[in-house]
């Protein structure tokens, strides 16, 4: 993927940048970002065969994650205990829920490339996989900007199947929705998504998402979890009345208690509402399970073991016995909290001083539930950017992460994140990384 830009004909590259220079403001209008200085002038471009390979790897790793959990637990409560997590760490968790493939309803693996080899460094498994609406939209709007350009028409650029649509179809199937069922996509006003603290504003921002659900035949609306209520009959309600089903779009970890969250918990427990997905899905996103994959290599088939060795960085649960090794191998390791997301708490060994690394490892040993993962020296992606303040165009080779979606096992879309000129190595939206969709060439 990193070399594809340079493999395109010069006329194609010039046309892509020219069209992007004309359209980037329209393409990124309404896209959530913390970055106020830079915008990309084009989306990343990948060969369709490479995309299929990445989604195959993602599906295999997700299957192996569930299998590793089933070797240690049969219910959500047993898995929570095996992961060393306290009661209440996962919100709304049904401790008696059996572990089944239904928990893999949504998967978004974070993939880094090193010398062209894909490495799954994290696997987000949940219904609340962000970025689908934005990445779908960016890819579609760039394609619209290219329409009618004879140079670009010859390339055959196309977007992957829509992640928004695939999630809706997964929800419809999993919850057995009929035309009479009223569905709400429920988000939190306490999250880190830019602008999400304003519930009314977010309802308006997400209206196109809701519109698409209605186009697909769903009686659809969006609503903050904090505003949910129960009526006298125990039905879960939004502003226009009772609902039958919930598409949960908040991460069920560390939620601020609220009457709305309690209402949802009561409705789910009493069977008054169906929810996609059970919050037990988020247990499968624990990075500790990557260490289990490596522990279980002797139990895997030759083919599955090769996927782990080749595409999952070696991972171990941090313990006092590993402290000396962690100090010695600092430049080859990354320290990560097992249960966090969004880059919180991640320390990249080669990027910090020995003292900072030692302090981080020692603090992690006290806190518990951390992993050590082999450092992946990522390939760079050549991208073109506009500096918003000046309108100047810059080209830079930047670290990037590709995260293809799987909803109910169906490959769809991809959430691309990359740093900007002059930024550090951590590809994190909260630290100023930009997002995009993906376009494919035959």
């Amino acid at each position: 993927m990193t070399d594809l830009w340079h493999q395109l004909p010069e006329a194609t590259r010039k046309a892509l940048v020219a069209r992007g220079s004309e359209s980037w403001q329209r393409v990124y209008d309404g896209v959530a970002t913390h970055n106020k200085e830079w915008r990309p002038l084009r989306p990343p471009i990948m060969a369709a065969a490479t995309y299929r390979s990445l989604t195959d790897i993602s599906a295999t790793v997700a299957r192996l994650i569930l299998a590793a959990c089933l070797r240690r637990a049969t219910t959500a409560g047993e898995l929570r205990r095996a992961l060393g997590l306290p009661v209440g760490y996962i919100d709304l968790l049904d401790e008696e829920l059996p572990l089944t493939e239904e928990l893999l309803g949504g998967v978004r693996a974070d993939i880094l490339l090193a010398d062209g080899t894909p490495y799954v460094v994290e696997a987000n498994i949940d219904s609340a996989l962000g970025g689908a609406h934005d990445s779908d939209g960016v890819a579609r709007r760039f394609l619209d900007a290219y329409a009618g350009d004879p140079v670009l028409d010859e390339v055959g650029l196309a977007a992957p199947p829509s992640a928004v649509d695939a999630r809706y179809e997964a929800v419809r199937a999993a919850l057995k929705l009929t035309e009479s069922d009223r569905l709400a996509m429920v988000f939190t006003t306490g999250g880190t998504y830019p602008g999400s603290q304003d519930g009314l504003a977010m309802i308006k921002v997400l209206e196109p998402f809701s519109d698409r659900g209605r186009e697909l035949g769903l009686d659809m609306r969006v609503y903050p979890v904090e505003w949910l209520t129960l009526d006298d009959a125990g039905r879960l309600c939004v502003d226009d009345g009772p609902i039958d089903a919930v598409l949960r779009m908040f991460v069920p970890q560390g939620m601020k208690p609220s009457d709305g969250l309690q209402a949802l918990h009561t409705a789910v427990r009493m069977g008054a509402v169906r929810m996609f997905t059970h919050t037990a899905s988020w247990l499968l996103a624990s990075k500790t399970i990557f260490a289990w994959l490596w522990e279980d290599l002797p139990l895997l088939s030759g083919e599955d073991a090769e996927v782990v060795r080749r595409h999952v960085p070696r991972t171990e649960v941090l313990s006092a016995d590993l402290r000396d090794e962690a100090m010695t191998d600092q430049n080859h390791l990354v320290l990560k909290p097992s249960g966090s997301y969004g880059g919180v708490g991640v320390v990249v060994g080669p990027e910090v001083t020995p003292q900072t690394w030692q302090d981080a490892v020692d603090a992690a040993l006290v806190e518990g539930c951390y992993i050590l993962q082999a450092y992946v020296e990522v390939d760079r992606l050549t991208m073109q950017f506009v500096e918003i303040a000046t309108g100047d165009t810059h080209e830079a080779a930047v670290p990037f992460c590709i995260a293809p979606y799987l909803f109910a096992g169906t490959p769809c879309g991809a959430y691309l994140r990359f740093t900007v000129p002059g930024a550090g190595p951590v590809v994190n939206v909260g630290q100023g990384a930009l997002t995009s969709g993906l376009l494919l060439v035959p």
Side-chain angles (χ1 to χ4, degrees), residues 107-434:
V107 176
R108 195 194 72 196
D110 284 349
I111 299 176
L112 303 179
L113 275 73
D115 292 330
T117 298
Y119 289 90
V120 179
V121 295
E122 296 182 17
N124 301 288
I125 299 177
D126 200 42
S127 54
L129 302 178
H133 175 66
D134 284 342
S135 56
D136 271 12
V138 167
R140 183 183 67 252
R141 291 189 291 274
F142 267 124
L143 278 180
D144 290 344
Y146 301 154
D149 188 313
V151 174
L152 297 179
D153 286 346
E154 292 181 4
V155 180
L157 290 168
S162 166
V164 169
D165 290 4
R167 176 156 42 196
Y168 273 135
E169 293 308 322
V171 172
R172 190 200 306 271
L175 302 186
K176 299 179 173 58
L177 298 180
T178 66
E179 291 184 358
S180 63
D181 284 320
R182 289 163 46 83
L183 172 67
M185 188 275 270
V186 176
F187 64 93
T188 178
T189 59
T192 59
Y193 188 86
S196 62
Q197 292 74 25
D198 186 334
L200 289 175
M202 279 302 296
I203 289 173
K204 186 172 183 61
V205 166
L206 293 170
E207 192 59 32
F209 184 96
S210 184
D211 290 343
R212 184 55 183 162
R214 288 189 285 269
E215 290 171 3
L216 294 172
L218 298 168
D219 186 353
M220 175 69 192
R221 73 271 300 136
V222 295
Y223 206 68
V225 64
E226 291 82 3
W227 299 359
L228 294 171
T229 59
L230 293 174
D231 66 11
D232 292 340
R235 297 176 300 180
L236 192 67
C237 296
V238 297
D239 56 344
D240 66 346
I243 56 174
D244 303 290
V246 165
L247 165 54
R248 178 178 55 78
M249 284 296 290
F250 60 87
V251 173
Q253 179 182 332
M255 289 283 291
K256 184 178 180 179
S258 67
D259 291 343
L261 185 65
Q262 183 58 45
L264 176 59
H265 177 66
T266 300
V268 170
R269 188 179 71 249
M270 300 302 294
V273 72
R274 290 161 279 166
M275 183 169 68
F276 181 91
T277 59
H278 293 288
T279 62
S281 292
W282 191 242
L283 286 170
L284 273 63
S286 170
K287 300 171 189 66
T288 292
I289 303 171
F290 276 41
W292 293 354
L293 294 180
W294 278 87
E295 287 178 19
D296 293 354
L297 281 178
L299 306 177
L300 304 183
S301 70
E303 185 176 353
D304 286 344
E306 180 60 21
V307 169
V308 174
R309 291 191 186 98
R310 182 168 176 78
H311 298 296
V312 176
R314 186 173 183 86
T315 305
E316 295 180 280
V317 176
L318 177 64
S319 66
D321 292 342
L322 292 176
R323 184 184 183 280
D324 290 346
E325 181 181 332
M327 295 301 110
T328 301
D329 292 343
Q330 172 185 342
N331 290 331
H332 305 286
L333 293 172
V334 179
L335 178 69
K336 297 181 178 182
S338 298
S340 72
Y341 62 99
V344 175
V346 174
V347 183
V348 181
E351 303 296 334
V352 297
T353 66
Q355 187 61 55
T356 299
W357 177 254
Q358 178 178 317
D359 292 345
V361 170
D362 287 341
L365 284 168
V366 173
E367 183 177 342
C369 290
Y370 274 73
I371 62 161
L372 291 171
Q373 191 173 77
Y375 170 69
V376 176
E377 188 168 357
V378 298
D379 295 340
R380 298 286 176 127
L381 178 70
T382 300
M383 287 291 292
Q384 295 73 37
F385 301 87
V386 60
E387 190 173 6
I388 296 174
T390 64
D392 293 340
T393 298
H394 300 258
E395 182 172 277
V398 294
F400 72 104
C401 175
I402 176 170
Y405 297 92
L406 299 166
F407 288 113
T410 299
C412 49
Y415 185 42
L416 270 293
R417 287 159 287 170
F418 40 85
T419 63
V420 297
V426 178
V427 186
N428 181 264
V429 173
Q431 299 179 30
L434 293 174

Side-chain angles (χ1 to χ4, degrees), residues 7-58:
Q7 294 173 11
L8 295 173
E10 183 180 359
T12 301
R13 298 198 302 267
K14 286 184 176 180
L16 287 166
V17 174
R19 289 284 183 162
S21 298
E22 298 169 357
S23 62
W24 66 266
Q25 289 175 301
R26 296 192 305 274
V27 169
Y28 275 87
D29 183 33
V31 174
T33 179
H34 295 286
N35 191 303
K36 308 301 182 185
E37 300 177 35
W38 301 93
R39 292 292 180 271
L41 291 176
R42 65 174 182 87
I45 299 171
M46 175 182 285
T50 303
Y51 174 77
R52 289 193 297 271
S53 175
L54 295 182
T55 57
D56 287 347
I57 292 168
S58 298

